[in-house]
Short mmCIF file of all heavy atoms in Angstrom, two decimals:
data_model
loop_
_atom_site.label_atom_id
_atom_site.label_comp_id
_atom_site.label_asym_id
_atom_site.label_seq_id
_atom_site.Cartn_x
_atom_site.Cartn_y
_atom_site.Cartn_z
N SER A 25 2.12 0.89 61.82
CA SER A 25 3.40 1.56 61.99
C SER A 25 3.45 2.87 61.22
O SER A 25 3.84 3.91 61.75
CB SER A 25 4.53 0.63 61.53
OG SER A 25 5.77 1.28 61.62
N GLU A 26 3.03 2.86 59.96
CA GLU A 26 3.04 4.06 59.13
C GLU A 26 2.04 5.09 59.65
O GLU A 26 2.30 6.29 59.65
CB GLU A 26 2.73 3.71 57.67
CG GLU A 26 3.84 2.93 56.98
CD GLU A 26 5.17 3.69 57.00
OE1 GLU A 26 5.17 4.89 56.70
OE2 GLU A 26 6.20 3.06 57.34
N TYR A 27 0.90 4.60 60.09
CA TYR A 27 -0.15 5.49 60.61
C TYR A 27 0.32 6.23 61.86
O TYR A 27 0.16 7.44 61.98
CB TYR A 27 -1.40 4.64 60.91
CG TYR A 27 -2.52 5.40 61.58
CD1 TYR A 27 -3.24 6.38 60.89
CD2 TYR A 27 -2.89 5.12 62.90
CE1 TYR A 27 -4.28 7.07 61.50
CE2 TYR A 27 -3.93 5.80 63.50
CZ TYR A 27 -4.62 6.77 62.81
OH TYR A 27 -5.65 7.44 63.42
N ARG A 28 0.95 5.50 62.77
CA ARG A 28 1.37 6.11 64.03
C ARG A 28 2.51 7.11 63.85
O ARG A 28 2.69 8.00 64.68
CB ARG A 28 1.75 5.02 65.04
CG ARG A 28 0.54 4.27 65.55
CD ARG A 28 0.90 3.22 66.56
NE ARG A 28 -0.26 2.41 66.90
CZ ARG A 28 -0.22 1.13 67.20
NH1 ARG A 28 0.95 0.51 67.22
NH2 ARG A 28 -1.31 0.47 67.49
N LYS A 29 3.27 6.98 62.77
CA LYS A 29 4.33 7.95 62.49
C LYS A 29 3.75 9.32 62.21
O LYS A 29 4.43 10.33 62.32
CB LYS A 29 5.16 7.49 61.28
CG LYS A 29 6.10 6.33 61.57
CD LYS A 29 6.85 5.94 60.31
CE LYS A 29 7.72 4.71 60.55
NZ LYS A 29 8.37 4.26 59.29
N ARG A 30 2.47 9.37 61.84
CA ARG A 30 1.84 10.63 61.45
C ARG A 30 1.06 11.26 62.60
O ARG A 30 0.38 12.27 62.42
CB ARG A 30 0.92 10.38 60.24
CG ARG A 30 1.70 9.79 59.07
CD ARG A 30 0.84 9.50 57.88
NE ARG A 30 0.43 10.74 57.24
CZ ARG A 30 -0.19 10.78 56.06
NH1 ARG A 30 -0.42 9.67 55.39
NH2 ARG A 30 -0.55 11.93 55.54
N ILE A 31 1.15 10.64 63.78
CA ILE A 31 0.42 11.14 64.94
C ILE A 31 1.37 11.38 66.11
O ILE A 31 2.24 10.56 66.39
CB ILE A 31 -0.67 10.13 65.38
CG1 ILE A 31 -1.70 9.94 64.27
CG2 ILE A 31 -1.39 10.61 66.64
CD1 ILE A 31 -2.76 8.92 64.60
N SER A 32 1.19 12.49 66.79
CA SER A 32 1.96 12.78 68.00
C SER A 32 0.96 12.91 69.15
O SER A 32 -0.08 13.56 69.01
CB SER A 32 2.75 14.08 67.83
OG SER A 32 3.55 14.33 68.96
N VAL A 33 1.28 12.29 70.29
CA VAL A 33 0.34 12.26 71.40
C VAL A 33 1.02 12.69 72.70
O VAL A 33 2.14 12.29 72.98
CB VAL A 33 -0.24 10.84 71.61
CG1 VAL A 33 -1.28 10.84 72.71
CG2 VAL A 33 -0.84 10.30 70.33
N LEU A 34 0.31 13.50 73.47
CA LEU A 34 0.74 13.79 74.83
C LEU A 34 -0.34 13.22 75.75
O LEU A 34 -1.45 13.73 75.83
CB LEU A 34 0.88 15.30 75.07
CG LEU A 34 1.14 15.72 76.54
CD1 LEU A 34 2.37 15.02 77.10
CD2 LEU A 34 1.28 17.22 76.65
N TYR A 35 0.00 12.10 76.39
CA TYR A 35 -0.95 11.46 77.31
C TYR A 35 -0.99 12.22 78.63
O TYR A 35 -0.01 12.88 79.02
CB TYR A 35 -0.55 10.00 77.58
CG TYR A 35 -0.64 9.12 76.36
CD1 TYR A 35 0.52 8.71 75.71
CD2 TYR A 35 -1.86 8.71 75.86
CE1 TYR A 35 0.46 7.89 74.58
CE2 TYR A 35 -1.93 7.89 74.73
CZ TYR A 35 -0.77 7.49 74.10
OH TYR A 35 -0.84 6.69 72.99
N GLN A 36 -2.10 12.10 79.32
CA GLN A 36 -2.25 12.77 80.61
C GLN A 36 -1.21 12.25 81.62
O GLN A 36 -0.68 12.99 82.42
CB GLN A 36 -3.67 12.55 81.15
CG GLN A 36 -3.99 13.37 82.37
CD GLN A 36 -5.45 13.26 82.77
OE1 GLN A 36 -6.23 12.52 82.15
NE2 GLN A 36 -5.85 13.98 83.80
N ASP A 37 -0.90 10.97 81.53
CA ASP A 37 0.07 10.37 82.46
C ASP A 37 1.43 10.17 81.76
O ASP A 37 2.01 9.09 81.80
CB ASP A 37 -0.45 9.04 83.01
CG ASP A 37 -0.74 8.03 81.91
OD1 ASP A 37 -0.80 8.45 80.73
OD2 ASP A 37 -0.90 6.84 82.21
N PHE A 38 1.91 11.24 81.12
CA PHE A 38 3.19 11.18 80.40
C PHE A 38 4.34 10.89 81.37
O PHE A 38 4.20 11.01 82.59
CB PHE A 38 3.45 12.52 79.69
CG PHE A 38 3.70 13.66 80.65
CD1 PHE A 38 4.97 13.94 81.11
CD2 PHE A 38 2.65 14.44 81.11
CE1 PHE A 38 5.20 14.98 82.00
CE2 PHE A 38 2.87 15.48 82.00
CZ PHE A 38 4.13 15.75 82.45
N ARG A 39 5.48 10.53 80.82
CA ARG A 39 6.67 10.27 81.62
C ARG A 39 7.86 11.04 81.05
O ARG A 39 8.07 11.08 79.85
CB ARG A 39 7.03 8.77 81.63
CG ARG A 39 6.01 7.89 82.32
CD ARG A 39 6.05 8.06 83.83
NE ARG A 39 5.11 7.15 84.48
CZ ARG A 39 3.85 7.44 84.75
NH1 ARG A 39 3.36 8.62 84.39
NH2 ARG A 39 3.07 6.58 85.37
N LEU A 40 8.65 11.64 81.95
CA LEU A 40 9.96 12.16 81.56
C LEU A 40 10.98 11.14 82.02
O LEU A 40 10.73 10.37 82.96
CB LEU A 40 10.22 13.52 82.22
CG LEU A 40 9.30 14.68 81.80
CD1 LEU A 40 9.78 15.98 82.43
CD2 LEU A 40 9.23 14.82 80.29
N PHE A 41 12.13 11.13 81.38
CA PHE A 41 13.13 10.12 81.67
C PHE A 41 14.38 10.74 82.29
O PHE A 41 14.62 11.93 82.16
CB PHE A 41 13.49 9.37 80.39
CG PHE A 41 12.30 8.74 79.73
CD1 PHE A 41 11.66 9.38 78.67
CD2 PHE A 41 11.79 7.54 80.19
CE1 PHE A 41 10.55 8.81 78.07
CE2 PHE A 41 10.67 6.97 79.61
CZ PHE A 41 10.05 7.61 78.54
N SER A 42 15.16 9.92 82.98
CA SER A 42 16.37 10.40 83.61
C SER A 42 17.46 10.57 82.56
O SER A 42 18.46 9.86 82.53
CB SER A 42 16.82 9.41 84.71
OG SER A 42 17.91 9.95 85.43
N MET A 43 17.19 11.52 81.68
CA MET A 43 18.10 11.85 80.59
C MET A 43 18.15 13.38 80.49
O MET A 43 17.50 14.08 81.25
CB MET A 43 17.60 11.26 79.26
CG MET A 43 17.41 9.75 79.30
SD MET A 43 17.03 9.03 77.67
CE MET A 43 15.52 9.84 77.23
N THR A 44 18.91 13.90 79.54
CA THR A 44 19.02 15.34 79.40
C THR A 44 17.72 15.93 78.87
O THR A 44 16.85 15.22 78.34
CB THR A 44 20.15 15.73 78.43
OG1 THR A 44 19.79 15.30 77.11
CG2 THR A 44 21.47 15.10 78.84
#
Side-chain angles (χ1 to χ4, degrees):
S25 177
E26 290 302 314
Y27 174 68
R28 288 182 187 147
K29 286 179 184 175
R30 302 179 71 171
I31 298 177
S32 184
V33 184
L34 172 56
Y35 295 106
Q36 188 173 3
D37 59 346
F38 68 88
R39 294 287 183 270
L40 295 186
F41 303 98
S42 187
M43 303 188 300
T44 68

